[in-house]
Amino acid sequence: MPALALGFADPVRDSQAAFKALMWAMAQPGDVVPLDTRLAPPAPLTPEMAASALALIDYETPVWLDPALAAAPETADFLRFHTGAPLTGDPAAARFALVADPAALPAFDSFAQGEPDYPDRSTTLILAVERFDAAPLVLEGPGIKGWRGFGAHPLPADFAARLAANRALFPLGLDLILTAPGAVAALPRSVRLQDEG
Amino acid sequence: MYVAVKGGETAIRNAHALLAETRRGDPAVPEIGIDQIAGQLTLAVDRVMSEGSLYDRPLAALAIKQARGDLIEAIFLVRAFRTTLPRFGYCLPVDTARMRVERRISATYKDMPGGQVLGPTFDYTHRLLDPSLAGGGAAPAEPARAPLPDDAGAGIAAMPRVTDILDGEGLIEPAPASGEDPRDLTREPLSFPADRPLRLQNLARGDEGFLLALGYSTQRGYARTHPFVGEVRFGEVEVELFVEELGFAVPLGAVSVTECQMVNQFKGSAEVPPQFTRGYGFAFGQSERKAMSMALVDRALRFAELGEEKSAPAQDEEFVLSHSDNVQATGFVEHLKLPHYVDFQAELELVRRMRAEHGDALPQTTQEAAE
Amino acid sequence: MNAQTPTPQAESRQAEARQAETRQAKTPAGMPAITYNFAYLDEQTKRMIRRAILKAIAIPGYQVPFASREMPMPYGWGTGGVQVTAAILGPDDVLKVIDQGSDDTTNAVAIRGFFETTAGVATTTRTQDATIIQTRHRIPEGALQAGQVLVYQVPIPEPLRFLEPRETETRKLHGLADYGLMHVKLYEDIARHGHIATTYAYPVEVAGRYVMDPSPIPKFDNPKMDDSPALQLFGAGREKRIYAIPPHTKVVPLDFEDHPFRVQHFAKPCALCGAHGVYLDEVILDDRGGRMFVCSDTDYCNTRQAEGHTGEMSAPAPEAAE
């Protein structure tokens, strides 16, 4: 068995840095926020996804891994050792879902959507994408002055329709964190897609 | 010319220096030691450990000294320290049937296996001030002690819990069991409705005075529960932690605790036959008033599962649990000492304006503008 | 574009070394050694608070329950704000703490000192130099900037609490967006007094959904919450709630068409810096009704005075210009 990859070199500082990038990403939907990590987690975990996970998950947060991550046992070993988080096979029971293959992202309604009295009890998805660009989505809503262009690859073909359906559930719904090499962005449930035309 | 008030930092430093000086008192009088507090003000230490939710006698004694004897302030100091401690895990439930008993009384039976053990108690003392204590006189007479059962197994046989005796006859409801691990009040915010484990956690760290008053109110007819003290016992119990790597439980040490099992008359309901029901109280150290009050309130809060009517404050879960914590309560009451002049200014302006509208000819210093 | 994302810097090592020294408290014989974490809270507690902050940002105006810890200052004295600040604070941050608009009020001094001691961070009184501003009861007068975080200390986060004391009920009302009670209350004011009699902690609607308590700021400050470039975080320690307003979010005070929301307007300018259109404290000068009005935001007032602005109670001009 290969040696376990290291976690944060400086847990206090590195967690704070990762969280701060995530906080600003969430507060400014679609904005691409730099995230510098010094992690080398086992594939298909990416450094940015691993940093997001180490900053947010622990023994209080059940985590669901997508089939791509679940197929690589080193991934589960890494997360279990560094976070103590219980892994769950039930996406609806997960506080966080890690998705290394975003093109095969399961249907949104398979995850926890929150409850009317407690909309915060919903799953946060953490996706690893290859890159961001400023198209084709045009975002509006809290955290966005006017509008903001956003795109990421790869994503499911019906991603825009899923986002719109997610917004329609507000205040219920999923919050998405997207990670790419050197950066993170977020699409909280509050984000709206600008009408075409 | 007007110079704005400044120097908050200096003023605070001075206030703290004054506090330290006042705490010390007359330097000609020897300073009180932590060991003296821990050894001679034991009930104060017990209360601070209970409501501070931290079993550590020297630290509780230090807190009492630092707090100038203000027990709520001492509890607060201990709680704030507790926040910083890492959590290794949860101990196994302590078994009070195996307690090394120092005191054990029952009001429901004249005698029972193990008998009544009065132990160190104020009960039956005449509350007459004792001038001989003032002078630091002779050492107290050596009390006679019954030999304690020295092994835990013998302890159970020798001194079974009164509720277990009743249970054997089927006269008392079975101890309500829950299949799952209780949630942890200190790790997740309280949400309503709260189950009994959560309620008991809340009451265990709740303010003794608040619980005393609520418990008292149930005796006076505000949610009457017909209580009998099945048993109050005080002594040491073992604390054990199950260690995954070892595959067995290891003893961490012993803690001194008080347990009160209240036995309440119950007429029965559509689903439940007539039987006795339970109210439970538990506290660190010798804290009988606290444990008994807690047991009364616990029973009152169980009204819904027993099909009783809700009619009184002690049954109101949101009211009781939201206001039982003296650290929360004292903070919010005392925060009224903080400056509120921004809000007061807004209210001043409103009162002046409303008085002006009322016909008084007070000078108007401000007015409202449409935003 | 983000100026807040910290980059690893060598100085932080020194800060941590300093930190380690201050953490090692003196312990007399017989006492266990007492050590404290960076910014007091342990890492698990910070993660728990950080998760709540992310959900709060994602659901603007919704109160996220969190497992508030006991802090070394009393409940009601800013424990919620302190926990939020402790969870977001990094070694590169510059912290400003105000109470009633002032950096020099006792509680502001105490909280600033707490973070200087436990986190070793830089502090400032200048609004524009701060990355994090923790506040009680005011929003600074000067415009906040993108990248700044305003952390509010909140005593009672539930705007419906005084209309309905039960959490089980208010939670349902929020779930249903049923804010009729609040409108009835405000309208009763109008019926009785001719206008709304709420002057502080004036409820707002956030992003068209949740009605939110803005903390006990004077309603004068409410308009500053709308479309602010800063991130606004709210922490209620005793009540165990965190909520948020992301930057550039619509925040509207509740009102009625025939009784629009109005803010206080002071008839006179600040007696020290001459500022108009700012919130003023009333200072009693004698026991014969003598009083004056000065800026509640001390940094704003001091900056103006340094720039040479004067008011009717100012020192003679040459001194003020220095």
Side-chain angles (χ1 to χ4, degrees):
Chain A
M1 188 179 142
L4 196 65
L6 297 177
F8 284 138
D10 179 345
V12 171
R13 182 181 168 76
D14 295 351
S15 315
Q16 190 273 342
F19 167 71
K20 206 155 191 181
L22 294 169
M23 179 180 82
W24 282 106
M26 196 64 87
Q28 304 173 116
D31 190 31
V32 176
V33 180
L35 174 60
D36 184 18
T37 84
R38 289 169 284 172
L39 295 173
L45 264 183
T46 64
E48 294 75 18
M49 181 185 255
S52 304
L54 297 190
L56 294 178
I57 73 181
D58 55 40
Y59 63 86
E60 291 185 342
T61 56
V63 171
W64 179 85
L65 302 180
D66 80 343
L69 288 164
E74 316 84 75
T75 299
D77 292 342
F78 177 88
L79 291 171
R80 253 196 299 249
F81 180 81
H82 290 297
T83 71
L87 301 179
T88 172
D90 176 8
R95 291 280 301 278
F96 290 90
L98 305 191
V99 178
D101 181 8
L105 184 60
F108 279 11
D109 63 8
S110 55
F111 299 101
Q113 309 288 317
E115 303 151 29
D117 288 1
Y118 292 95
D120 54 303
R121 295 178 182 171
S122 69
T123 310
T124 301
L125 306 188
I126 303 178
L127 279 52
V129 297
E130 287 162 17
R131 63 180 196 278
F132 295 123
D133 58 40
L137 302 174
V138 180
L139 311 178
E140 291 181 337
I144 301 171
K145 188 172 180 62
W147 57 272
R148 181 176 287 131
F150 179 76
H153 302 278
L155 286 174
D158 63 345
F159 189 69
R162 291 196 196 194
L163 271 191
N166 192 46
R167 180 64 180 80
L169 293 172
F170 191 88
L172 306 188
L174 307 181
D175 306 308
L176 279 66
I177 291 169
L178 297 93
T179 63
V184 291
L187 297 171
R189 69 191 79 182
S190 62
V191 80
R192 282 190 305 271
L193 296 180
Q194 198 177 66
D195 295 335
E196 285 161 9
Chain B
M1 182 203 164
Y2 173 79
V3 180
V5 183
K6 287 246 175 204
E9 217 147 331
T10 318
I12 289 176
R13 264 200 308 277
N14 275 331
H16 292 172
L18 264 177
L19 172 67
E21 187 188 71
T22 311
R23 181 194 58 67
R24 175 61 182 87
D26 182 353
V29 176
E31 183 164 356
I32 191 168
I34 300 304
D35 50 349
Q36 290 173 308
I37 297 171
Q40 297 174 43
L41 300 180
T42 45
L43 298 184
V45 170
D46 289 346
R47 180 172 175 196
V48 169
M49 293 196 304
S50 261
E51 293 171 34
S53 301
L54 185 72
Y55 194 93
D56 189 316
R57 299 200 82 84
L59 276 185
L62 173 65
I64 291 167
K65 175 174 177 175
Q66 188 177 332
R68 301 170 59 195
D70 177 339
L71 295 191
I72 292 184
E73 180 68 23
I75 289 161
F76 178 20
L77 285 168
V78 166
R79 290 263 197 102
F81 176 69
R82 184 184 186 280
T83 292
T84 67
L85 299 176
R87 178 157 307 212
F88 300 118
Y90 293 88
C91 72
L92 297 175
V94 295
D95 184 357
T96 52
R98 306 169 86 94
M99 178 185 283
R100 284 190 291 278
V101 165
E102 285 184 49
R103 170 166 163 78
R104 185 265 201 131
I105 51 157
S106 170
T108 53
Y109 292 103
K110 184 176 181 187
D111 199 6
M112 66 236 140
Q116 309 262 9
V117 180
L118 297 189
T121 178
F122 293 119
D123 297 350
Y124 334 110
T125 62
H126 296 144
R127 268 61 168 205
L128 302 171
L129 281 172
D130 180 359
S132 72
L133 285 179
E142 181 73 20
R145 278 178 204 276
L148 280 176
D150 41 347
D151 89 35
I156 294 189
M159 221 172 263
R161 287 179 297 220
V162 166
T163 44
D164 295 342
I165 299 172
L166 278 170
D167 205 8
E169 270 193 84
L171 290 176
I172 192 166
E173 59 171 340
S178 110
E180 41 194 272
D181 286 341
R183 288 182 288 160
D184 182 343
L185 188 68
T186 66
R187 292 280 138 169
E188 53 184 306
L190 185 62
S191 61
F192 299 105
D195 58 15
R196 190 167 178 230
L198 273 184
R199 293 198 304 255
L200 288 170
Q201 287 172 48
N202 176 289
L203 299 178
R205 58 189 348 225
D207 182 72
E208 179 174 312
F210 179 74
L211 296 186
L212 175 66
L214 280 175
Y216 177 45
S217 74
T218 66
Q219 290 181 284
R220 291 195 64 258
Y222 291 84
R224 197 165 170 218
T225 59
H226 309 276
F228 299 92
V229 170
E231 181 173 348
V232 172
R233 58 168 65 194
F234 157 63
E236 281 196 338
V237 290
E238 288 287 328
V239 177
E240 295 179 309
L241 183 74
F242 187 84
V243 182
E244 290 286 349
E245 292 94 299
L246 298 178
F248 55 83
V250 295
L252 300 179
V255 297
S256 166
V257 302
T258 303
E259 180 184 63
C260 172
Q261 300 254 17
M262 208 62 91
V263 175
N264 302 75
Q265 182 194 330
F266 178 58
K267 291 195 293 282
S269 67
E271 295 87 40
V272 187
Q275 60 183 342
F276 291 107
T277 55
R278 298 166 187 258
Y280 188 77
F282 185 88
F284 284 152
Q286 189 176 8
S287 305
E288 285 170 36
R289 186 187 299 120
K290 167 67 182 282
M292 292 175 68
S293 304
M294 174 176 167
L296 291 173
V297 177
D298 168 47
R299 177 60 185 77
L301 288 170
R302 296 183 58 208
F303 75 94
E305 62 175 295
L306 296 168
E308 295 166 338
E309 245 179 76
K310 180 175 175 182
S311 60
Q315 296 169 308
D316 189 327
E317 172 179 295
E318 270 210 58
F319 178 80
V320 173
L321 303 187
S322 301
H323 301 110
S324 63
D325 191 297
N326 54 25
V327 177
Q328 290 177 8
T330 200
F332 202 47
V333 167
E334 295 198 50
H335 109 285
L336 293 171
K337 293 182 284 191
L338 287 179
H340 282 78
Y341 39 76
V342 163
D343 296 343
F344 187 68
Q345 185 62 45
E347 293 289 90
L348 261 183
E349 181 272 335
L350 178 70
V351 171
R352 282 184 180 133
R353 184 151 49 87
M354 290 190 343
R355 285 176 65 92
E357 287 163 4
H358 206 254
D360 288 326
L362 282 175
Q364 230 184 304
T365 51
T366 59
Q367 65 206 55
E368 291 209 334
E371 178 56 29
Chain C
M1 66 137 265
N2 205 293
Q4 285 67 47
T5 307
T7 52
Q9 283 175 4
E11 299 130 27
S12 74
R13 292 281 168 205
Q14 291 172 350
E16 273 166 32
R18 269 201 313 278
Q19 183 50 34
E21 284 162 30
T22 56
R23 265 189 266 165
Q24 196 64 48
K26 285 201 186 90
T27 49
M31 285 287 135
I34 297 176
T35 57
Y36 293 114
N37 309 299
F38 176 82
Y40 197 74
L41 300 176
D42 61 283
E43 288 302 296
Q44 200 279 330
T45 298
K46 286 182 198 162
R47 266 195 307 276
M48 176 272 296
I49 296 172
R50 287 167 179 167
R51 291 193 291 262
I53 290 172
L54 291 190
K55 285 297 180 197
I57 292 171
I59 319 169
Y62 165 72
Q63 304 162 49
V64 181
F66 81 111
S68 174
R69 303 290 198 245
E70 260 107 7
M71 297 301 285
M73 59 279 291
Y75 283 118
W77 299 53
T79 55
V82 166
Q83 288 180 80
V84 168
T85 297
I88 66 174
L89 190 69
D92 304 331
D93 277 307
V94 180
L95 178 68
K96 171 181 166 83
V97 183
I98 52 173
D99 186 341
Q100 314 294 301
S102 165
D103 301 271
D104 200 41
T105 36
T106 44
N107 201 42
V109 170
I111 291 173
R112 190 167 56 239
F114 173 74
F115 283 112
E116 283 168 351
T117 310
T118 61
V121 293
T123 58
T124 183
T125 59
R126 293 176 63 83
T127 301
Q128 70 208 56
D129 295 343
T131 57
I132 299 172
I133 302 169
Q134 180 169 327
T135 180
R136 178 168 171 266
H137 294 191
R138 274 313 309 276
I139 299 176
E141 299 290 358
L144 298 178
Q145 306 148 42
Q148 287 184 310
V149 186
L150 187 58
V151 177
Y152 295 75
Q153 302 172 199
V154 182
I156 304 273
E158 178 49 70
L160 305 169
R161 179 62 70 233
F162 299 108
L163 309 170
E164 170 51 66
R166 282 171 202 287
E167 168 77 12
T168 35
E169 292 301 315
T170 55
R171 199 155 272 283
K172 267 185 223 136
L173 295 175
H174 283 294
L176 299 166
D178 179 356
Y179 297 118
L181 262 182
M182 183 64 90
H183 283 97
V184 168
K185 191 263 172 196
L186 294 174
Y187 212 86
E188 276 174 358
D189 276 3
I190 294 172
R192 189 172 308 154
H193 310 296
H195 45 76
I196 292 168
T198 300
T199 60
Y200 61 91
Y202 190 104
V204 294
E205 181 196 81
V206 180
R209 177 57 176 80
Y210 282 97
V211 166
M212 186 195 93
D213 182 295
S215 88
I217 56 171
K219 64 179 179 175
F220 178 89
D221 283 340
N222 277 25
K224 297 178 193 158
M225 308 182 99
D226 181 43
D227 196 32
S228 171
L231 169 61
Q232 301 173 74
L233 301 177
F234 299 77
R238 194 178 38 77
E239 300 279 342
K240 302 179 167 49
R241 297 289 183 272
I242 286 172
Y243 50 105
I245 305 175
H248 301 297
T249 297
K250 200 166 171 54
V251 180
V252 185
L254 300 188
D255 65 355
F256 300 93
E257 248 171 49
D258 48 341
H259 287 274
F261 174 77
R262 290 157 178 270
V263 297
Q264 296 98 332
H265 170 79
F266 292 84
K268 287 172 124 185
C270 170
L272 296 178
C273 78
H276 288 270
V278 295
Y279 198 78
L280 301 176
D281 289 337
E282 183 170 338
V283 179
I284 307 291
L285 296 173
D286 53 44
D287 58 1
R288 298 179 304 279
R291 57 177 178 240
M292 66 170 192
F293 289 85
V294 298
C295 285
S296 131
D297 182 339
T298 49
D299 171 61
Y300 184 80
C301 196
N302 293 340
T303 305
R304 279 180 55 87
Q305 291 177 59
E307 289 166 2
H309 296 279
T310 58
E312 61 178 26
M313 299 291 282
S314 294
E319 283 177 42
E322 271 166 30

